[in-house]
């Protein structure tokens, strides 16, 4: 189906561009070992319209193309595409409706991050990399079932007012946000890396915390100075 004909040529061109971006970024999830089979999804908001692009449901990663990406409105309704949207579409839509600063959302079931989620335990900020990227601990979100926007509500409740771009939804797995889909994918890669490292550290002994003033300093430098 296509409902894009009611949108301007500029919006239609932006949808085509975002489809290319989102399709390419999905390849990063298996490349970094964050997903198996058809699990996981990436979405990105469409500038200039209340729309976002997301992966279709049940399609393997090597079958994904820009044309196979689906377009939804911010209520999660299908606007353009030949397949059903991802089963996590309602969660993505809720985030976009309630966090206008967010331009990209990613969900994976990456092994180590999901293992922390299964224990409902935040990943403690014991690495400078964590201070840089997450500004503190990686928080746990509430248990919620797929099917409506309950997961989205949990994401928003947990991340509103948090510096972390990642939440570990209890018994489910990580969701990450960013200014665009690339930033959210980066956060998904980083959350798995630090979850794995802190897990290994705990096998050797108790990791040492980083003082809050150092966390704040590292976060400020990385977000506002590094790479500028």
């Amino acid at each position: 189906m296509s409902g894009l004909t009611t949108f301007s040529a500029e919006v239609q061109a932006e949808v085509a561009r975002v489809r290319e971006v989102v399709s390419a970024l999905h390849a990063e999830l298996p490349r970094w070992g964050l997903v198996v089979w058809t699990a996981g999804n990436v979405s990105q908001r469409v500038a200039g319209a209340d729309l976002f692009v997301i992966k279709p449901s049940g399609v393997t990663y090597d079958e994904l193309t820009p044309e196979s990406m689906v377009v939804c409105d911010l209520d999660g309704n299908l606007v353009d595409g030949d397949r059903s949207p991802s089963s996590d579409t309602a969660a993505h839509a809720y985030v976009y409706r309630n966090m206008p600063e967010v331009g990209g959302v990613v969900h994976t079931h990456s092994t180590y991050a999901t293992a922390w989620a299964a224990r409902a335990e935040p990943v403690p900020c014991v690495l400078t990399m964590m201070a840089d990227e997450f500004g503190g601990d990686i928080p746990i979100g509430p248990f919620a079932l797929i099917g409506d926007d309950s997961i989205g509500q949990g994401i928003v409740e947990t991340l509103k007012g948090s510096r972390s771009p990642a939440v570990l939804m209890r018994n489910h797995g990580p969701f990450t946000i960013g200014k665009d889909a690339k930033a959210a994918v980066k956060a998904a890669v980083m959350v798995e890396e630090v979850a794995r490292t802190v897990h290994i550290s705990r096998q050797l002994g108790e990791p040492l915390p980083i003082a809050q003033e150092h966390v704040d300093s590292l976060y400020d430098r990385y977000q506002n100075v590094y790479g500028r």
Side-chain angles (χ1 to χ4, degrees), residues 10-34:
E10 290 79 10
V11 168
Q12 292 185 49
E14 178 64 4
V15 166
R17 186 191 73 82
V18 174
R19 275 181 150 138
E20 294 271 0
V21 168
V22 173
S23 177
L25 284 171
H26 273 95
E28 297 298 306
L29 303 188
R31 184 163 85 91
W32 291 97
L34 306 184

Side-chain angles (χ1 to χ4, degrees), residues 150-171:
S150 298
I151 292 172
Q153 291 178 38
I155 297 167
V156 171
E157 288 167 9
T158 307
L159 294 185
K160 277 254 184 177
S162 172
R163 296 194 295 202
S164 174
V167 54
L168 306 180
M169 292 298 287
R170 201 190 97 194
N171 301 107

Side-chain angles (χ1 to χ4, degrees), residues 222-228:
Y222 188 75
Q223 299 295 326
N224 300 311
V225 179
Y226 177 80
R228 296 291 188 268

Side-chain angles (χ1 to χ4, degrees), residues 70-91:
V70 297
V71 183
C72 295
D73 64 23
L74 297 193
D75 290 316
N77 301 309
L78 181 65
V79 173
D80 184 68
D82 298 326
R83 298 175 181 268
S84 298
S86 163
S87 59
D88 293 300
T89 295

Side-chain angles (χ1 to χ4, degrees), residues 110-135:
S110 60
T111 303
Y112 284 88
T114 303
W116 287 85
R119 296 198 302 269
E121 183 179 359
V123 183
C125 186
V126 295
L127 303 168
T128 59
M129 178 190 290
M130 290 188 67
D132 289 345
E133 184 73 24
F134 301 101

Side-chain angles (χ1 to χ4, degrees), residues 38-187:
T38 64
N41 36 75
V42 177
S43 73
Q44 180 163 306
R45 192 191 292 268
V46 175
D50 288 337
L51 301 171
F52 65 96
V53 173
I54 193 168
K55 172 180 173 285
S57 179
V59 179
T60 59
Y61 282 81
D62 57 359
E63 294 178 303
L64 292 178
T65 64
E67 295 72 29
S68 68
M69 297 296 117
V70 297
V71 183
C72 295
D73 64 23
L74 297 193
D75 290 316
N77 301 309
L78 181 65
V79 173
D80 184 68
D82 298 326
R83 298 175 181 268
S84 298
S86 163
S87 59
D88 293 300
T89 295
H92 290 241
Y94 189 90
V95 172
Y96 290 129
R97 288 200 307 275
N98 290 278
M99 300 182 79
E101 71 278 13
V102 171
V105 179
V106 172
H107 173 48
T108 77
H109 297 154
S110 60
T111 303
Y112 284 88
T114 303
W116 287 85
R119 296 198 302 269
E121 183 179 359
V123 183
C125 186
V126 295
L127 303 168
T128 59
M129 178 190 290
M130 290 188 67
D132 289 345
E133 184 73 24
F134 301 101
D137 297 354
I138 298 170
I140 292 287
F143 178 79
L145 293 174
I146 293 177
D148 57 22
D149 59 15
S150 298
I151 292 172
Q153 291 178 38
I155 297 167
V156 171
E157 288 167 9
T158 307
L159 294 185
K160 277 254 184 177
S162 172
R163 296 194 295 202
S164 174
V167 54
L168 306 180
M169 292 298 287
R170 201 190 97 194
N171 301 107
H172 189 166
F175 283 80
T176 59
I177 58 174
K179 62 182 177 59
D180 54 24
K182 183 178 180 180
V185 169
K186 179 194 175 188

